[in-house]
Amino acid sequence: MLEIIFTNERISSKTTKIFAVSENSRLTFEALSKDEINLLKKAAQQYEFTGKKDTFLEVFGSGGKIIIAGMGEKPEALDLQNLGGRLAKKLFKDTSACFYVEEIKGCRLSLEEIAHNVAFGMMLGSYRFDKYFTKKKQNEYPALEQIIFKVKNSADVNENFKDFAALGNAVRYGRDLCNEPANTLTPDVFAADIKRLEYLGLEVEVLDKESLKEKEFNLLLSVAQGSIKEPKAVIIKWKGNPDNKEYDLALVGKGVTFDAGGISIKPAGGMEDMKQDMTGAAVVVASMKALALQCASVNVVGIVGLVENMPSGSATHPGDVVTSMSGQTVEIINTDAEGRLVLGDCLWYVQDKYGVKEVIDIATLTGATMRALGSEYAGLFANDDKLAQKLIAAGEESGERLWRLPIGEGYNKMINSDIADMKNIGGANAGGSTAACFLQRFIKDGVSWAHLDIAGVDKETKGNALNSKGATAFGIRLLNKFMQNK
Ligand code: BES
Ligand code: MN
Ligand code: ZN
């Protein structure tokens, strides 16, 4: 993994040097010689480099390569993160590089914040999932092993990077979980990996099939029964505020380690993507890991339902009726609408057992939300405007943006069943909203609840500098920001 160093010591002269400038600012840098600056000015003229956002100027001086990154007029934190991501990809052949942290005209961030955001972007942009390549092709591998940030007071900058480093680590961990194929990341392997996180001071309880039966996670069990893989539910607790006996928040994640659709089987094309149908669970687990690494002063309880949705002789039939933990009955019309079943019991359990008054669930839940929003926004559904506003704000700040979609009685009626309390699909339309209404039936009175549908944003699609091929683990940065703002 890329090593990040903040230092105020001298840097070896052969190191690639990087500077960031805003649009139309002068090319003068404390760390460069007159000759180097002249070289830059000539090159800028020739290539008409003005510092526009997302442009680079590169020259080779006597002391090695110099890169000037254009940042546009008023660069913000996310622009700097983005630069970090782009640099991580760009510095492919440079074995060592140094980012000179100097003032950027028009940027309201401190020098420390500039360094931190670029470094964080590099942590994300340099992520790769390459454990299954048996032959390393030299030219396909980044050479960059170390990035140095030349800063004025390195001790403070280092110390204060802790929260960003924790979050970067958590996002990389979340992506590893999501990219892992379903033959290796089974519910029991996933659960064992979460249990391992106890070394960080998290409390982890794994419910096996026997205890799931005893506690009546019947909807979750009905999804799992077609698979030979044993289901698990895992409860993860972080008590960062001992003065408070209660939990401030519950996080609930959909952890379908593979979604074949069950008897309502999915078409073959693209089915391989359904190894990522556990992204919600990965996001919850990684978010808990981030809290522990950050020693955050909040109390949060997380729960993830880990199952595989497969067709077989023991699978749930379309038309089966199952009594949920809440006591409400569900007619399962389509076994491919399984995420809401897993979540229904998990939502109920976490409210019933821990009395939490604020609950956020996160799930790759519906193709309908993906169709509506593409990969620009995740869908947000909520029964509380204040909570929705806070989540939208955290989304804008973190770059993981949310768009609120409606719930309400009209949609809720669409999941009434002729023979049971509800059915697990609505009509052909408004699939994201009817799914959310299904979940809302498992929310107790007086509980603030939000549901994040991340079906359209869990996979990299368009060359975002902070992602790499495969999983984005969307939601970890957003939830971390939300909890920090609390
Ligand atoms: N895991 C899928 C949703 C999904 C689709 C996630 C595409 C990521 C990309 C979910 O379990 C599902 O199958 N939903 C169905 C529900 C339908 C049967 C009512 C859907 O959206 O098609
Ligand atoms: Mn499904
Ligand atoms: Zn699914």
Side-chain angles (χ1 to χ4, degrees), residues 58 83 91 94 107 122 125 135 176 197 213 300 302 309 317 319 321 352 370 378 395 406 414 417 460:
E58 278 175 71
L83 169 64
L91 297 169
D94 308 73
C107 175
M122 292 196 81
K135 296 184 196 70
D176 276 346
L197 296 179
K213 276 188 186 155
V300 181
N309 187 23
H317 322 89
V321 175
D352 210 39
M370 176 172 77
M414 291 163 74
S417 155
E460 164 55 28

Side-chain angles (χ1 to χ4, degrees), residues 156-349:
D156 279 1
V157 178
N158 239 315
E159 167 77 17
N160 297 338
F161 189 59
K162 195 187 104 217
D163 284 359
F164 266 124
L167 185 57
N169 175 300
V171 174
R172 295 172 68 99
Y173 171 54
R175 288 180 183 174
D176 276 346
L177 290 169
C178 296
N179 284 322
E180 195 62 52
N183 61 334
T184 48
L185 195 84
T186 55
D188 63 323
V189 169
F190 197 168
D193 203 65
I194 304 171
K195 188 76 184 166
R196 188 181 57 84
L197 296 179
E198 284 193 326
Y199 78 95
L200 291 171
L202 291 163
E203 210 181 297
V204 178
E205 184 189 359
V206 178
L207 306 181
D208 62 9
K209 193 172 169 189
E210 276 316 299
S211 37
L212 290 170
K213 276 188 186 155
E214 191 194 312
K215 294 179 171 13
E216 298 185 273
F217 280 77
N218 300 327
L219 293 178
L220 182 152
L221 288 164
S222 79
V223 176
Q225 75 189 36
S227 169
I228 55 169
K229 315 262 165 63
E230 257 216 38
K232 309 274 182 201
V234 184
I235 298 116
I236 314 142
K237 297 172 196 148
W238 173 251
K239 282 197 166 133
N241 179 9
D243 296 339
N244 182 0
K245 290 278 157 290
E246 322 255 289
Y247 286 99
D248 305 304
L249 172 70
L251 297 177
V252 181
K254 168 180 174 181
V256 176
T257 58
F258 191 77
D259 180 14
I263 295 297
S264 316
I265 194 165
K266 287 182 181 297
M271 203 205 271
E272 67 280 6
D273 287 347
M274 287 301 119
K275 70 171 183 180
Q276 272 184 225
D277 210 17
M278 34 55 70
T279 302
V283 169
V284 169
V285 171
S287 296
M288 299 303 295
K289 184 181 188 191
L291 289 180
L293 287 170
Q294 294 170 337
C295 287
S297 55
V298 285
N299 294 343
V300 181
V301 54
I303 180 167
V304 294
L306 310 178
V307 299
E308 194 180 65
N309 187 23
M310 296 288 279
S312 80
S314 61
T316 293
H317 322 89
D320 284 2
V321 175
V322 179
T323 304
S324 68
M325 183 191 294
S326 73
Q328 304 174 92
T329 53
V330 179
E331 184 188 12
I332 299 174
I333 304 286
N334 188 319
T335 63
D336 197 13
E338 85 298 341
R340 61 200 76 183
L341 301 175
V342 174
L343 292 172
D345 282 337
C346 290
L347 284 167
W348 191 262
Y349 185 77

Side-chain angles (χ1 to χ4, degrees), residues 106-125:
C107 175
R108 55 195 180 86
L109 302 179
S110 68
L111 292 180
E112 175 173 299
E113 286 168 326
I114 292 173
H116 285 171
N117 280 287
V118 176
F120 180 61
M122 292 196 81
M123 280 185 87
L124 299 186

